[in-house]
Amino acid sequence: MPALPALQATDTMSTTITLQASVPETLSGNRLDQAAASLFPDFSRGRLQTWIKEGSLRVNQQILRSKDKVHEGDVLELSAELVAEDTHAAEPVDLNIVYEDEDVIVLNKPAGTVVHPAVGNRSGTLLNGLLHHCPSLAEIPRAGIVHRLDKDTTGLMVVAKNLQSHRQLVKQLQRREVEREYEAVVIGVMTAGGMVDLPLGRHPVQRQKRAVVEDGKEAVTHYRVLNRYRAHTHVQLKLETGRTHQIRVHMSHIRYPLVGDPLYGGRLQIPKACSNQLVKELKQFRRQALHARRLGFEHPRTGEYMEWEADLPEDMAHLLHVLQEDV
């Protein structure tokens, strides 16, 4: 088994890591990069290959190639510097952190905040704020962000603070072990809950959108009714997968689009004979009514299951109040 890494901070943007492990019988005859990936599972194979090429990862104190074979008893020694992967600027951004320790940050994202810089949103993003809050996140892919929420979706997200936590959380997401529960307000009155199991991919015409497509990636959404109104439904949703815009596309596909969704909601729908207050509320609700209410996962260091909840944001709570009053 590999030894625990010895970490030494050299400055705010780099860390020296030292590891040593012996090749067991089960890995004898494997390529060096394959064996290294098994012995040092906290690092991606691509990163390990780079270190092998640089001579930072050696076998019996010798520099080998990634494709060279290793044998039982060979000693792999890693001494490398973790350098900043992310070149985005650190900026002061308000972060609503609900939990933080040496391995993870759990935060409650507000509406209007972009998670990762992109064309048109190069600054002021959640990632910029995270780099300001914790500069060492620059050493981790995407500053530790392992899953995203759309700009106007609110709620809970987890961020890994080191490579070991990042890898463990990504594995949990891939194994569908992370509990993600959402609440939404949809247009139309649902009779019962259900499941949508339809593949998602890029829209064949409108490239900024996603759509249900035959050759898309597997996507599974579970939903159940929390409350029904005259022309709307308050629903709870759970994700098995985490595709881009998954809830928004799935709900729209089964003809229950989210209130306020600018991409998938279609034209504004005003129920017949509704109150003036509801008319005003629906016209002013300019984002998808979607909130990541609950988040749970096994802590990447301790293995303890941990869970958090975030109350509905004020705008969604007010929308539900107005819908309740519209009788």
Side-chain angles (χ1 to χ4, degrees):
M1 293 293 292
L4 291 176
L7 300 176
Q8 179 183 357
T10 55
D11 54 49
T12 59
M13 299 300 287
S14 65
T15 302
T16 298
I17 186 165
T18 303
L19 281 166
Q20 185 179 94
S22 296
V23 177
E25 181 182 359
T26 53
L27 295 177
S28 186
N30 282 13
R31 287 170 50 117
L32 170 56
D33 56 355
Q34 293 172 331
S38 295
L39 294 170
F40 307 133
D42 292 322
F43 309 105
S44 68
R45 189 167 169 180
R47 185 189 286 260
L48 291 167
Q49 288 172 336
T50 298
W51 283 337
I52 292 168
K53 187 175 182 179
E54 292 174 347
S56 300
L57 200 170
R58 303 188 180 199
V59 179
N60 302 326
Q61 300 183 348
Q62 302 297 314
I63 297 175
L64 300 182
R65 298 168 298 177
S66 290
K67 66 180 182 180
D68 290 337
K69 301 293 179 65
V70 294
H71 303 282
E72 182 181 2
D74 285 345
V75 177
L76 275 61
E77 294 178 293
L78 171 63
S79 179
E81 188 174 283
L82 297 177
V83 297
E85 288 201 354
D86 208 302
T87 58
H88 297 291
E91 301 174 12
V93 174
D94 287 337
L95 300 175
N96 184 3
I97 295 174
V98 299
Y99 176 83
E100 182 175 8
D101 60 23
E102 60 183 326
D103 299 297
V104 298
I105 299 172
V106 176
L107 51 87
N108 186 3
K109 189 186 85 66
T113 298
V114 175
V115 171
H116 195 279
V119 177
N121 294 286
R122 293 296 185 187
S123 63
T125 71
L126 191 68
L127 184 146
N128 297 119
L130 285 168
L131 291 174
H132 182 269
H133 173 74
C134 183
S136 63
L137 289 175
E139 299 170 358
I140 307 170
R142 297 187 181 277
I145 296 170
V146 295
H147 66 117
R148 300 190 192 189
L149 294 177
D150 295 335
K151 175 183 176 181
D152 287 323
T153 297
T154 58
L156 295 170
M157 292 179 56
V158 60
V159 176
K161 292 181 68 175
N162 51 60
L163 282 168
Q164 293 85 353
S165 297
H166 185 271
R167 190 169 182 85
Q168 289 298 320
L169 288 170
V170 168
K171 283 183 177 180
Q172 288 187 52
L173 283 164
Q174 291 172 340
R175 294 194 298 256
R176 304 182 183 183
E177 295 171 349
V178 176
E179 291 288 330
R180 288 173 291 171
E181 183 181 290
Y182 294 73
E183 289 188 25
V185 183
V186 301
I187 300 168
V189 182
M190 287 184 168
T191 56
M195 177 183 72
V196 184
D197 184 358
L198 295 169
L200 298 180
R202 283 196 180 276
H203 192 286
V205 178
Q206 297 171 283
R207 305 303 289 173
Q208 79 277 20
K209 297 176 65 174
R210 294 297 193 271
V212 172
V213 292
E214 187 175 344
D215 61 346
K217 294 182 179 179
E218 180 188 16
V220 181
T221 305
H222 300 266
Y223 62 93
R224 74 179 184 91
V225 173
L226 294 177
N227 208 349
R228 299 181 183 89
Y229 307 97
R230 286 201 308 121
H232 298 83
T233 309
H234 180 198
V235 296
Q236 179 190 84
L237 306 110
K238 289 187 177 182
L239 296 180
E240 282 194 31
T241 54
R243 309 304 178 195
T244 302
H245 299 175
Q246 178 173 320
I247 289 174
R248 299 165 65 187
V249 178
H250 272 172
M251 290 298 100
S252 179
H253 186 81
I254 63 173
R255 301 183 186 279
Y256 292 102
L258 272 58
V259 168
D261 194 329
L263 275 181
Y264 307 101
R267 63 180 180 82
L268 178 65
Q269 299 183 40
I270 303 295
K272 293 181 180 179
C274 70
S275 66
N276 290 333
Q277 186 180 12
L278 180 55
V279 173
K280 179 181 178 181
E281 182 70 16
L282 292 174
K283 286 183 176 180
Q284 291 181 345
F285 206 95
R286 309 298 293 178
R287 72 172 183 94
Q288 62 268 10
L290 182 61
H291 175 66
R293 178 68 180 253
R294 186 170 67 90
L295 175 69
F297 55 85
E298 287 187 1
H299 191 279
R301 181 182 297 268
T302 68
E304 176 189 2
Y305 180 77
M306 304 181 73
E307 186 175 284
W308 297 266
E309 286 197 19
D311 291 338
L312 288 175
E314 184 178 345
D315 61 348
M316 277 187 67
H318 187 260
L319 171 63
L320 291 172
H321 173 74
V322 173
L323 288 170
Q324 187 69 47
E325 294 295 312
D326 182 61
V327 293

